[in-house]
Amino acid sequence: MPDMPVLDHILFSQEQLKTRIAELGRQISTDYKGKQPLFVGILRGSIMFYADLLREISIDCNMDFMCLSSYSGTSSTGEVRTMLDLRESIKGRHVVIVEDIVDTGLTLDYLTKNLQHRGAASIEFCCLLDKPANRKIEIHPKYVGFQIENEFVIGYGLDYDELYRNLPYIGVFKK
Ligand code: IMP
């Protein structure tokens, strides 16, 4: 265990993340065979997950990104904003939104509303972590890496006040 005062314990090691992400990659590659999906990474939290997941995708696909903001410290501000929008049109495309974690569900709800009028052939969510205990809006991502308890986690792209995104594992934040 690394000597980090802010870390209570490690929840998912690098090996556990790698194994589960490889499974997700295989499943998505099978489900989207022949569909050339567009993977949309939600910045900044999904960056590590996105990069590792896409390396496990074995079919033709495209990449794009959106940058959203909603969190400050360990609680959601409740207001989601688009800081950077998609570069390409999603008309007729099979879109897979890649997100780090679903907590209240406000971000996924915002994305659903924001993208539904853009004419995509389909839109699904792939989230590394799912924290169902804290949901404000009922939403069920199709692809989920791990379900977790209602704890604040850091690392592997996830931050606390813009710190700790660079940790290669996911750990529980010590309050
Ligand atoms: P939601 O809109 O409440 O579902 O939250 C989604 C966003 O909140 C995620 O994309 C994360 O950036 C952030 N978030 C939620 N829970 C955590 C956490 O435990 N650690 C770090 N960020 C989190």
Side-chain angles (χ1 to χ4, degrees):
M1 170 109 168
D3 184 23
M4 278 198 60
V6 296
L7 194 66
D8 195 76
H9 59 276
I10 292 179
L11 199 54
F12 301 112
S13 66
Q14 284 176 268
E15 290 72 27
Q16 286 171 305
L17 291 168
K18 189 171 171 33
T19 304
R20 183 66 189 121
I21 291 167
E23 285 170 5
L24 283 174
R26 279 196 295 276
Q27 190 187 346
I28 294 172
S29 300
T30 303
D31 293 354
Y32 284 86
K33 198 162 184 234
K35 293 186 171 168
Q36 197 174 321
L38 173 68
F39 289 93
V40 175
I42 305 303
L43 300 172
R44 286 166 289 208
S46 80
I47 173 164
M48 307 280 190
F49 176 43
Y50 187 91
D52 286 342
L53 177 70
L54 268 283
R55 273 177 278 203
E56 302 291 347
I57 299 295
S58 56
I59 55 172
D60 281 350
C61 61
N62 301 102
M63 299 162 90
D64 205 347
F65 299 91
M66 285 177 84
C67 184
L68 305 181
S69 88
S70 77
Y71 255 62
S72 78
T74 58
S75 62
S76 170
T77 59
E79 188 201 345
V80 185
R81 279 177 301 155
T82 300
M83 315 300 282
L84 173 81
D85 208 343
L86 294 170
R87 217 174 117 154
E88 309 284 341
S89 160
I90 57 170
K91 201 167 172 33
R93 300 300 308 271
H94 293 281
V95 177
V96 181
I97 310 275
V98 181
E99 179 55 320
D100 52 358
I101 182 168
V102 206
D103 184 17
T104 61
L106 288 168
T107 303
L108 295 200
D109 185 57
Y110 170 86
L111 279 165
T112 304
K113 290 181 177 142
N114 183 292
L115 298 178
Q116 70 187 357
H117 301 299
R118 303 196 197 184
S122 68
I123 299 180
E124 296 289 357
F125 292 102
C126 176
C127 304
L128 179 60
L129 304 177
D130 184 6
K131 220 195 287 188
N134 211 18
R135 262 322 183 280
K136 291 194 178 131
I137 291 171
E138 205 184 325
I139 204 151
H140 302 281
K142 179 157 182 186
Y143 304 100
V144 170
F146 304 96
Q147 274 207 356
I148 64 167
E149 303 291 314
N150 195 7
E151 294 170 312
F152 197 81
V153 288
I154 52 171
Y156 198 68
L158 291 148
D159 73 305
Y160 169 72
D161 269 351
E162 293 306 325
L163 282 173
Y164 318 119
R165 290 191 197 273
N166 56 312
L167 301 178
Y169 48 78
I170 291 177
V172 173
F173 185 69
K174 198 189 277 179
K175 292 246 169 77

